[in-house]
Amino acid sequence: MALLEDIVSKQKMGAKFVLSAPMLGLDLAAFDMQAAIWATHGGPGFEAAGVPFRKVIDGKFLIQRLTVVRV
């Protein structure tokens, strides 16, 4: 994900920032699956910083935004 790497590289170490489906060009279901992994294991250059924000769509709670911190 080149776009993700660009977003992360622009952040200072220790900075908190938000990732969302539109930022990465993903639909909400795809983002939810990826964000669940990031929330548990971290991502390339960042770790989760709090509880993911979820939205109910068709009776399912999907992660809409994930606050992360650059490491």
Side-chain angles (χ1 to χ4, degrees):
M1 289 186 148
L3 184 58
L4 176 63
E5 293 169 356
D6 292 341
I7 293 169
V8 174
S9 68
K10 291 178 183 176
Q11 308 301 319
K12 293 181 181 180
M13 290 300 226
K16 286 186 181 180
F17 58 102
V18 173
L19 296 174
S20 67
M23 287 174 65
L24 301 175
L26 299 172
D27 64 41
L28 197 55
F31 180 76
D32 176 72
M33 288 190 303
Q34 187 62 55
I37 294 168
W38 292 335
T40 305
H41 303 289
F46 61 86
E47 295 178 350
V51 178
F53 179 82
R54 291 179 165 84
K55 182 177 185 177
V56 178
I57 297 188
D58 295 330
K60 296 180 183 178
F61 285 91
L62 300 178
I63 297 173
Q64 184 177 20
R65 292 188 308 262
L66 181 63
T67 302
V68 297
V69 63
R70 172 98 192 263
V71 293

